[in-house]
Amino acid sequence: QFVSFYSEATPIDVIERSSIGSRPARRTGKRSFDDLRAIPWVFSWNQARFFLTGWYGTGSALKRLHDEDPASFDLVRENVIDFSPFRFIITNVSSAIAMAEPSIMEAYTSLVNDRELAGYYLNRIRDEYHLTREMLEKLYGHSLEERRPRIYEMIGFRSERLKPLHMLQIDQLGRWRQINREGDEQKSGEMLHEMLLVLNAIAAGLGTTG
């Protein structure tokens, strides 16, 4: 049921209605892992401030290495800066973690109708988020804010100003989806233009679509 959670906790249905590429957002008429294309998949997670595709699983992988093979963990920790391929990966992960925002994730998860499903996946994602931060800080030997103070200052500045847009998008999605369930195509179409404006504003504020 993860695709159901994803479909309701992100604005993927709005992204599917936008004209952002030469190919459709889905390969066929259904929404599944096999069906989804990479760009809308990443774009939708980023809009809802999960940034899931940039970091999820890293914390668990590093913790397993740390617990099962401490010598190898120490080796990668010693070379996290000097070994360029690993540094590139970890820098990208730490950037995605910096852009993710648990309180905004939770706000988008309020859109998921099945509250048990919503809580299950939100808790898993938040647990992995905190574990990933913890393991990155073990690698670096200090907090992520200390490691990259300028990026955290920039993200903090943007996030404060993006929060009203996120709240507006969540409100729009709730109303729009209800209208679609009621089958009012005219009203749904009238709302779409404004929703696409908000979608673009959030992407511009974040400085990324994915």
Side-chain angles (χ1 to χ4, degrees):
Q1 293 180 287
F2 183 65
V3 172
S4 296
F5 170 82
Y6 158 71
S7 298
E8 295 181 47
T10 75
I12 180 60
D13 41 356
V14 179
I15 291 170
E16 287 175 342
R17 303 284 189 94
S18 65
S19 301
I20 59 171
S22 59
R23 296 183 295 179
R26 287 186 263 172
R27 293 180 174 87
T28 66
K30 59 183 180 178
R31 188 180 292 131
S32 66
F33 283 122
D34 291 336
D35 181 66
L36 286 162
R37 294 191 185 276
I39 291 173
W41 167 253
V42 176
F43 188 5
S44 53
W45 284 120
N46 292 2
Q47 278 275 305
R49 297 300 288 278
F50 285 86
F51 278 79
L52 200 73
T53 59
W55 59 266
Y56 193 85
T58 306
S60 291
L62 289 172
K63 188 174 190 310
R64 182 173 177 181
L65 183 66
H66 176 270
D67 293 348
E68 296 181 6
D69 190 352
S72 291
F73 183 86
D74 288 341
L75 182 64
V76 296
R77 182 171 58 188
E78 290 164 10
N79 291 280
V80 68
I81 304 302
D82 297 332
F83 184 53
S84 296
F86 188 62
R87 179 181 179 176
F88 176 78
I89 293 168
I90 292 301
T91 298
N92 282 339
V93 171
S94 66
S95 295
I97 278 286
M99 297 290 279
E101 176 51 64
S103 65
I104 301 296
M105 296 180 202
E106 184 174 356
Y108 277 90
T109 303
S110 69
L111 291 164
V112 180
N113 289 320
D114 185 331
R115 300 314 303 156
E116 185 177 350
L117 184 72
Y120 173 75
Y121 281 116
L122 179 63
N123 288 335
R124 287 194 64 174
I125 291 166
R126 281 193 300 208
D127 287 348
E128 184 68 18
Y129 168 85
H130 291 299
L131 179 60
T132 301
R133 283 190 62 97
E134 177 189 339
M135 297 312 298
L136 288 174
E137 290 177 349
K138 280 186 184 294
L139 275 184
Y140 287 131
H142 45 69
S143 73
L144 297 181
E145 288 82 0
E146 288 178 90
R147 171 70 186 162
R148 306 179 74 183
R150 283 184 291 182
I151 193 170
Y152 273 90
E153 182 180 356
M154 179 270 291
I155 291 168
F157 178 84
R158 290 185 178 190
S159 290
E160 194 64 29
R161 288 150 182 81
L162 279 167
K163 189 173 181 180
L165 283 173
H166 286 300
M167 295 303 107
L168 175 57
Q169 186 177 65
I170 291 165
D171 177 67
Q172 287 178 328
L173 284 167
R175 290 186 290 114
W176 186 63
R177 288 169 180 173
Q178 181 58 39
I179 288 166
N180 287 334
R181 284 192 290 269
E182 293 168 358
D184 191 336
E185 293 184 13
Q186 181 177 346
K187 200 167 182 180
S188 173
E190 289 169 355
M191 278 192 71
L192 186 60
H193 178 68
E194 184 180 343
M195 295 182 74
L196 291 172
L197 287 176
V198 173
L199 186 87
N200 281 297
I202 291 173
L206 290 171
T208 182
T209 60

